[in-house]
Structure formats: C-alpha cells, structure tokens
C-alpha cells in the first residue's frame, strides 16, 4: 500500500522527515537513509531529551503528555532552517497539524506504515514508551493507530514496512526522495 500525494511547487524541499507510529522503524531506517544520502540524522525525541536533560518517560510522568507535545512543537519550529537533514519524528508529532505543515515547508514527509500486529511484534520487548505502559497495549496500539491514521496519511509518501526489511525500507525512502526532487 505505498502511495504518493501530489506536491505543491511552493515548497523548498531540502530535508527528509520520517513520520509514523511507534515501532515502524523511523529511527533505524532514518539512520540508514542519512548514511546513504550523506544527510545529518536528527531525532525529535533525542532533541527534546538533550534540550531538557530528561528522558521522554520522565517528562510524561512528571509533566504530562501536553507538556511533551509543547516541547515537540518547539523542536519542529527550530528545524525550519536546516538543510540535508534526515528528521526522525516521535509517533504522535503529526497529530498536531501545524507540525506537519511546518515540516512540509522544507522536507519531503515520508510515513512509515505498519499493521497493528507488526507494530506489536516490534515493540513488545521494549519498555521505554510511556503510551504503551497500559494494561492492554495491543488494544492501545490499535486504537491510537486508528485515531492517527488520517494524520499519517497526509504524508507525501507512504511506505508499508510490514513485509520489508529495514534496509529495503531505507532504499525505498531514498528512492522516493530522489524521485520527488527530479519530478518537481
Ligand atoms: C510517542 C512516540 C515516541 C515518543 C513518545 C510519544 C507517541 O516516539 O515521542 O513516547 O505519541 O506515539 P517513537 O515513535 O519514536 O517511539
């Protein structure tokens, strides 16, 4: 289920942003793509952790999710001046539409998609994501994914990761970037 949205010509695309649900491989794929394309790799969660000196789990626990979302918006705004950067984003970041609009000004936005079953397979052995500290994490994934789907589908390109290795996904993302820039 890969697809593309037509692009407006008033965008200055010099970066690549990866959006998508937790466990779709944004960080792993992002690092591979950045290496392949000689782009700098940035991760919005890491930027928040560096800026605050705290973990994401700690911010959620002490200050709550809305405070974390405000920090995300600040980081997105600061990315606007960058070039040749691969931006890996937190899974909830595109649900605030101005974040998506801001990224689209300077980046090709690629969504990594996965089914709830595949996401569960990938995250079930990890424990650092506060939103999945839930009595029924599988239901939480299904529900959150359903709510977020309309936001994720506003990406320029959607790449299904279910049946692809991270290397294949990275190859596809880099290809889509070159394709988008050569067809403007
Ligand atoms: C979140 C995803 C996490 C992190 C935070 C909230 C979300 O990032 O930003 O735990 O709302 O889906 P990853 O998608 O990199 O796991």
């Amino acid at each position: 289920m890969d697809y593309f949205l037509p692009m407006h010509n008033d965008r200055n695309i010099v970066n690549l942003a990866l959006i998508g649900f937790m466990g779709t491989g944004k960080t792993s794929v992002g690092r591979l793509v950045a290496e392949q394309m000689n782009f700098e790799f940035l991760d919005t969660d890491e930027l928040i952790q560096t800026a605050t000196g705290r973990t994401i789990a700690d911010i959620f626990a002490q200050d709550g999710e809305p405070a974390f979302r405000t920090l995300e918006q600040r980081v997105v705004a600061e990315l606007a001046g960058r070039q040749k950067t691969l931006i890996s984003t937190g899974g909830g970041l595109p649900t605030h539409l101005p974040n998506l609009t801001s990224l689209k000004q300077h980046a090709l936005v690629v969504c990594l998609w996965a089914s709830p079953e595949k996401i569960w397979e990938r995250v079930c052995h990890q424990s650092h994501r506060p939103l999945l500290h839930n009595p029924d994490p599988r239901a939480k994934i299904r529900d959150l994914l359903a709510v977020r789907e309309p936001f994720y589908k506003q990406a320029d390109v959607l790449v299904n990761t279910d049946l692809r290795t991270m290397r294949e996904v990275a190859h596809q993302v880099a290809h889509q970037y070159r394709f988008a820039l050569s067809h403007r």
Side-chain angles (χ1 to χ4, degrees):
M1 172 189 65
D2 297 350
Y3 76 70
F4 323 88
L5 274 186
M7 274 191 282
H8 295 290
N9 274 332
D10 57 353
R11 294 168 58 187
N12 179 29
I13 295 177
V14 289
N15 300 310
L16 221 164
L18 295 182
I19 66 170
F21 204 79
M22 302 172 253
T24 51
K26 290 163 296 184
T27 307
S28 315
V29 168
R31 286 191 191 281
L32 287 170
V33 175
E35 197 182 300
Q36 248 183 58
M37 295 180 42
N38 207 16
F39 273 27
E40 184 177 350
F41 174 83
L42 288 181
D43 177 291
T44 57
D45 283 348
E46 278 177 19
L47 291 173
I48 289 171
Q49 294 187 135
T50 306
T52 59
R54 301 161 68 193
T55 64
I56 303 299
D58 181 55
I59 298 169
F60 265 76
Q62 305 296 321
D63 304 347
E65 185 174 348
F68 172 74
R69 299 299 171 201
T70 303
L71 292 168
E72 269 188 331
Q73 289 164 38
R74 214 171 286 161
V75 161
V76 167
E78 283 167 8
L79 290 167
R82 301 209 59 100
Q83 291 187 0
K84 290 191 78 173
T85 304
L86 186 305
I87 304 159
S88 171
T89 63
L93 184 144
T95 60
H96 181 65
L97 267 185
N99 284 342
L100 211 42
T101 307
S102 174
L103 288 174
K104 280 190 172 183
Q105 290 302 312
H106 56 87
L108 183 78
V109 177
V110 177
C111 175
L112 302 189
W113 182 262
S115 62
E117 295 74 25
K118 202 70 185 176
I119 290 168
W120 174 244
E121 217 178 283
R122 291 179 185 153
V123 302
C124 65
H125 300 298
Q126 304 171 343
S127 61
H128 63 281
R129 296 183 173 93
L131 288 176
L132 299 181
H133 297 164
N134 185 283
D136 190 351
R138 299 174 89 147
K140 180 76 182 179
I141 290 170
R142 264 196 314 274
D143 294 350
L144 259 185
L145 190 59
V147 169
R148 291 179 177 180
E149 183 170 348
F151 297 98
Y152 292 146
K153 293 208 164 159
Q154 293 188 46
D156 297 306
V157 180
L158 194 125
V159 177
N160 194 339
T161 69
D162 269 3
L163 300 174
R164 288 176 166 128
T165 64
M166 291 296 138
R167 203 159 277 284
E168 285 166 344
V169 176
H171 182 80
Q172 182 65 10
V173 170
H175 169 74
Q176 292 304 335
Y177 185 76
R178 294 192 194 103
F179 181 84
L181 262 65
S182 63
H183 286 76
R184 300 194 70 217

